[in-house]
Amino acid sequence: MTEPQDKSRRKFVAGAAVAGAGLGVAALAPGLHLIEVAGAAPQAPRAAGEPAPSTVRWGMLIDTTKCATGCDKCVTACHTENGINETVQDVRQGSQWIRKIDLKDPKNGRTHSLPMMCQHCEKPPCVDVCPTGASMKRADGIVLVDRHICIGCRYCMMACPYKARSFVHQPLTAQNPEVPRGLGCVESCTFCVHRVDKGLQPACVEACPERAMLFGDLNDPTSEIAKRLAQEPATQVRADLKLNVGVRYKGI
Amino acid sequence: MRLEKNSRSEELLFYALVGVGALVTAVGLAAALYMEHAGHVVTGMNNQVVWGMPHVFAIFLIVAASGVLNVASIGSVFGKAVYKPRAPLSGLLALVMLAAGLMVIMLDLGRADRLVVAMTHFNPTSVFGWNVILYPGFFAIVGLYLWTLMDRKMNPYYKPAGLAAFVWRLILTTGTGSIFGFLVARQAYQSAVIAPMFIIMSFAWGLAVFMIVQKSMYAWNGMTLHPAVRSRMKNLLGTFVAAVFYFVLVYHLTNIYYAKETAFERFILLEGGIFPSLFWGGWLFLGTIVPLLLIYVPDLNQLRGSVFAAAVLVVVGAFCLLYVFIIGGQVYPLDIFPGMEVTSSFMDGQIDHYRPSWPEILLGLGGIGLAFTATAIGVRVLKFLPEDDLAKLESAGHMLD
Amino acid sequence: MKAAALALLLALASAAALAGAPKPALKIENPGQCIAPTEEMRKNHMEMLKHQRDRTLRQGIRGEKASLNGCIECHASKATGSVLGKGGFCQECHAYAAVKLDCWDCHQPKAGFKHAGAVGVKP
């Protein structure tokens, strides 16, 4: 995002040991996760000046048989990555980009645990209802809020069947420079769009100790996620609404 | 005209009332400023109950605004002579109540400072987006209609203007109802009956507001409403109140019939604490049954003030019903995993609790204050008092009841 | 419309200058490193940033020449680390020109900011 164009400037920024923006992450991330996580980086970083391609549809497969009850490492990783660090008196007024839900089937007592976040619908109700067009879907299927034109009406929150959107109830000061967020606007999971554009995985996927989350291009038949979806049964939450969500769950 | 000779004490009382109205409005504006500055953290609203008290007030004002215009429409579009002298007041109330409702809803926005964005960015698939066009259109059409009514030169055009206003207000209330009717996410909404239900609600609530204002203006000027006119308007109010009852009944009956909604209905009608109380006690008893008795029981409806009391109770019932519909519909958990027992850190599978905070309530009251103040000034400076030609009414007496 | 607003702004600004309001004392931390000549930046930075923000957010175009974070990294005060506050690169001039900015309601005004405290929303 902030990658400088000319060399002199690049040298200056690096020299000043600036940790923010692309440079810092590039320096921190090497190897560690990219080797371990199946499928490694979903793709090469997009070249500067290239728009998000409409040939790609980002999606996620969550294996609830692996997701551990009581584990919330994905939630913590999300909060760290996206600078969700404000303290709130009332948890219901705090931002919930991703939350853990525990399910119990009353018929047979089977339990599941799973992370719930923006499902990045192909036909997102939040985008339909937004009066200004702030709620939007990028060409590669990532659903975002354009905070520059969000007026904070919360109609998208009324419309989201997954309760995936949060309204920022208080002034913020400690944002991650790459993840702007602030008072009076609605926000939700971005699939860590700033990381995806650099060829990295979303923070939650990287953080999952059980490797229960898989991120990739649903449109690419050679991708790990597409292959697994072709072989294993996976469900869409609230499939009755026919929103064709980008996040699929296995085992519920 | 009686209005022109005002005693000094009457003058003082008028300024005192306007002062109180302006003060209530100012307090509402201050509350909005505080919410804007501190954030919605100072309200009872949260990420589950995203719309709160301001929306109850705003939706009442907006729905009643379109309904109050019916009084004029009955005169212009349906040609009922009794309603014609009431058309200007009806138009004025429609304008001020819509303005007040919009003020409340705009000031509750997370970014109220971006009103310009709301006007310049338009998403054609958004019901809210449609309303952004419908509201200014309403102002324009009703303004034009008022002009045809109050300016002799423009008088020949009052019929088409009245028809346009009538059609526009039906579309507008359909838009307001559809804000909820098109929501698939929450159990309480997503129903085709909501838009027509809102229209009939607007009929009842708008007429009730009109009758309250009319009675107050008559009392102020030491006049009494002609019994035939009173009888007509009270019967119309009774019809509308009964029709609202019918639509609310159908809305809940369909929900009860659908297995997926029965748990929600059990909550909202039986087990949900404040919500069943407001529904049965507030809306059904106070806001429907008592007004209908006051209107239709002969011994009661002849009592002085009985029709006025009925109209006030209809408004009380309206607020109860909207609170149940808007807040009750949101505190009930979303059915994300049907058939499963759900728990999470964020109210999944649990009933949320909402307590309106003072800033929210004051902002809502500020809207009422604005509507009151603007009406008081409007009826003072222009000729809005509905004056019946008594001789004409008497001669047509047999047509009235 | 925009031209008129700009003209009005300039008129106001020069009126303020005539009235004796102190000129903003801007410190350029890294002279000569900017993406465009000073005059062009003064005149057009808002347009550059606005177009870039829409392209980046709505189309996903990264690595553009103009970028708010780029401004911040270069222009943040060495003393405070920020483009805001007294003498802050953005605030100093915007306060003088009386143009309100809402960038900072959401964007981080400090260069290389990393949150140090406890992480996560605590109930």
Side-chain angles (χ1 to χ4, degrees):
Chain A
M1 186 169 165
T2 58
E3 255 150 358
Q5 291 296 293
D6 64 285
K7 281 209 172 111
S8 58
R9 203 162 160 270
R10 187 189 300 260
K11 216 159 69 193
F12 154 67
V13 177
V18 169
L23 289 161
V25 179
L28 289 175
L32 205 88
H33 294 288
L34 299 184
I35 293 162
E36 288 175 16
V37 175
Q43 65 163 33
R46 199 164 57 251
E50 289 286 314
S54 59
T55 49
V56 171
R57 168 109 197 265
W58 293 118
M60 205 181 267
L61 174 62
I62 294 168
D63 187 345
T64 63
T65 60
K66 288 186 186 166
C67 181
T69 308
C71 170
D72 62 355
K73 290 207 164 62
C74 53
V75 179
T76 313
C78 171
H79 290 171
T80 310
E81 177 63 36
N82 294 301
I84 302 170
N85 45 37
E86 63 274 18
T87 43
V88 283
Q89 298 296 316
D90 182 343
V91 68
R92 299 167 305 155
Q93 291 181 330
S95 286
Q96 307 262 355
W97 289 25
I98 180 170
R99 67 187 190 275
K100 281 297 295 291
I101 294 187
D102 292 310
L103 300 177
K104 187 179 168 195
D105 191 335
K107 294 187 286 292
N108 51 28
R110 248 186 89 184
T111 58
H112 312 265
S113 187
L114 53 86
M116 173 56 60
M117 73 289 259
C118 173
Q119 303 285 295
H120 297 277
C121 309
E122 187 195 350
K123 297 176 188 128
C126 57
V127 173
D128 287 345
V129 302
C130 178
T132 66
S135 200
M136 51 152 286
K137 190 179 65 162
R138 229 169 64 153
D140 55 3
I142 299 181
V143 176
L144 297 170
V145 178
D146 182 351
R147 287 178 184 76
H148 304 116
I149 55 170
C150 172
I151 56 173
C153 72
R154 285 105 79 202
Y155 196 16
C156 56
M157 300 173 71
M158 289 292 275
C160 176
Y162 308 99
K163 224 167 64 172
R165 290 214 155 172
S166 303
F167 178 69
V168 178
H169 283 72
Q170 55 192 335
L172 304 180
T173 52
Q175 299 95 334
N176 174 350
E178 282 191 293
V179 188
R181 48 188 296 262
L183 174 68
C185 291
V186 174
E187 59 183 22
S188 59
C189 159
T190 66
F191 265 168
C192 285
V193 68
H194 58 292
R195 291 172 57 88
V196 170
D197 285 350
K198 281 184 283 203
L200 299 171
Q201 310 247 354
C204 55
V205 174
E206 252 187 33
C208 180
E210 312 291 340
R211 306 266 176 270
M213 302 170 90
L214 175 65
F215 180 78
D217 180 5
L218 298 174
N219 282 351
D220 174 6
T222 64
S223 72
E224 173 82 8
I225 188 169
K227 282 189 215 157
R228 281 189 56 191
L229 281 171
Q231 291 157 7
E232 304 165 21
T235 45
Q236 305 189 27
V237 177
R238 289 300 309 266
D240 57 315
L241 299 175
K242 299 208 186 306
L243 303 172
N244 189 15
V245 293
V247 179
R248 313 292 171 86
Y249 291 85
K250 186 191 162 190
I252 48 167
Chain B
M1 277 273 301
R2 275 162 233 241
L3 281 177
E4 279 151 19
K5 280 208 165 53
N6 298 317
S7 71
R8 178 144 176 78
S9 61
E10 190 261 13
E11 194 99 322
L12 279 175
L13 185 59
F14 172 76
Y15 286 115
L17 279 178
V18 168
V20 170
L23 187 69
V24 172
T25 314
V27 170
L29 292 175
L33 201 65
Y34 172 61
M35 280 163 60
E36 209 63 34
H37 187 72
H40 278 59
V41 71
V42 297
T43 71
M45 291 177 267
N46 58 56
N47 287 327
Q48 162 90 32
V49 180
V50 302
W51 289 345
M53 216 53 189
H55 302 80
V56 173
F57 277 92
I59 290 171
F60 173 79
L61 284 166
I62 292 169
V63 169
S66 62
V68 79
L69 192 67
N70 271 1
V71 174
S73 299
I74 296 168
S76 296
V77 181
F78 300 102
K80 303 287 181 207
V82 174
Y83 288 92
K84 275 188 190 156
R86 297 182 160 69
L89 178 61
S90 151
L92 172 76
L93 284 172
L95 290 182
V96 300
M97 287 174 76
L98 184 65
L102 289 181
M103 178 191 88
V104 174
I105 219 154
M106 293 295 176
L107 289 178
D108 173 74
L109 292 176
R111 300 295 312 237
D113 54 323
R114 290 189 180 157
L115 188 58
V116 169
V117 173
M119 305 299 233
T120 53
H121 293 70
F122 174 65
N123 174 12
T125 63
S126 169
V127 181
F128 256 8
W130 306 343
N131 287 348
V132 170
I133 293 175
L134 291 171
Y135 296 142
F138 186 82
F139 281 115
I141 290 181
V142 175
L144 201 70
Y145 179 36
L146 268 182
W147 186 18
T148 65
L149 288 169
M150 301 186 80
D151 184 345
R152 211 174 285 275
K153 277 200 310 267
M154 293 294 289
N155 217 255
Y157 307 106
Y158 87 88
K159 271 204 171 190
L163 183 64
F166 179 65
V167 171
W168 196 268
R169 66 128 316 215
L170 287 181
I171 299 171
L172 183 121
T173 318
T174 305
T176 313
S178 300
I179 288 173
F180 296 96
F182 286 16
L183 288 177
V184 292
R186 301 186 183 232
Q187 314 307 113
Y189 311 124
Q190 194 207 2
S191 166
V193 83
I194 290 177
M197 182 171 85
F198 267 61
I199 289 181
I200 203 70
M201 283 169 175
S202 81
F203 284 10
W205 303 347
L207 184 59
V209 169
F210 183 89
M211 288 164 76
I212 292 168
V213 174
Q214 175 179 257
K215 169 81 179 183
S216 309
M217 287 171 72
Y218 271 54
W220 187 272
N221 292 295
M223 295 160 64
T224 44
L225 195 58
H226 189 281
V229 179
R230 177 184 187 267
S231 169
R232 249 193 174 215
M233 295 191 80
K234 88 170 169 55
N235 287 343
L236 189 65
L237 183 65
T239 312
F240 288 161
V241 169
V244 170
F245 171 77
Y246 169 75
F247 270 85
V248 174
L249 185 76
V250 170
Y251 164 73
H252 284 289
L253 277 181
T254 49
N255 272 351
I256 290 167
Y257 198 81
Y258 302 150
K260 66 185 171 97
E261 308 287 17
T262 46
F264 167 71
E265 286 297 323
R266 187 191 307 279
F267 167 77
I268 210 87
L269 298 181
L270 295 175
E271 293 163 0
I274 178 91
F275 301 109
S277 313
L278 286 175
F279 182 84
W280 298 107
W283 172 72
L284 186 67
F285 182 71
L286 281 181
T288 303
I289 294 174
V290 176
L292 286 178
L293 292 175
L294 287 171
I295 288 167
Y296 288 116
V297 175
D299 286 345
L300 289 177
N301 65 27
Q302 293 312 313
L303 291 175
R304 255 183 76 90
S306 62
V307 174
F308 180 74
V312 170
L313 286 173
V314 167
V315 172
V316 171
F319 273 91
C320 294
L321 187 61
L322 279 177
Y323 192 88
V324 173
F325 182 74
I326 297 171
I327 312 292
Q330 292 177 85
V331 297
Y332 191 77
L334 278 72
D335 201 5
I336 303 176
F337 296 95
M340 293 282 199
E341 285 168 14
V342 188
T343 48
S344 82
S345 59
F346 181 38
M347 306 310 290
D348 287 291
Q350 290 176 62
I351 305 293
D352 200 353
H353 45 94
Y354 165 79
R355 185 183 296 153
S357 67
W358 278 110
E360 291 170 77
I361 297 169
L362 292 173
L363 171 59
L365 289 174
I368 306 279
L370 176 70
F372 170 83
T373 314
T375 307
I377 295 172
V379 300
R380 183 86 172 182
V381 297
L382 287 169
K383 187 179 172 299
F384 282 108
L385 182 75
E387 286 181 290
D388 294 306
D389 187 336
L390 291 180
K392 214 169 162 187
L393 282 176
E394 296 294 353
S395 69
H398 62 282
M399 289 170 62
L400 284 168
D401 289 278
Chain C
M1 175 70 191
K2 270 181 189 152
L6 194 67
L8 183 69
L9 195 74
L10 287 173
L12 284 174
S14 48
L18 286 176
K23 285 235 175 193
L26 277 189
K27 187 173 178 218
I28 308 289
E29 297 282 8
N30 300 290
Q33 308 275 335
C34 205
I35 57 169
T38 308
E39 276 317 304
E40 193 189 334
M41 290 310 291
R42 278 194 187 154
K43 214 176 348 175
N44 292 330
H45 68 279
M46 61 297 274
E47 287 299 317
M48 289 167 150
L49 285 172
K50 189 168 180 234
H51 292 290
Q52 175 271 331
R53 94 183 185 194
D54 289 341
R55 282 194 300 265
T56 300
L57 191 113
R58 302 189 76 92
Q59 297 173 42
I61 297 172
R62 301 283 184 172
E64 292 234 14
K65 190 170 81 163
S67 117
L68 189 64
N69 277 357
C71 300
I72 298 164
E73 293 302 339
C74 215
H75 284 292
S77 148
K78 290 225 167 87
T80 64
S82 175
V83 291
L84 299 185
K86 197 165 161 41
F89 182 77
C90 297
Q91 183 167 327
E92 188 76 6
C93 213
H94 274 266
Y96 177 74
V99 178
K100 186 180 170 284
L101 280 179
D102 60 3
C103 304
W104 317 111
D105 292 349
C106 291
H107 284 275
Q108 178 53 253
K110 289 189 171 157
F113 180 83
K114 274 268 188 282
H115 182 63
V119 163
V121 177
K122 296 276 183 289

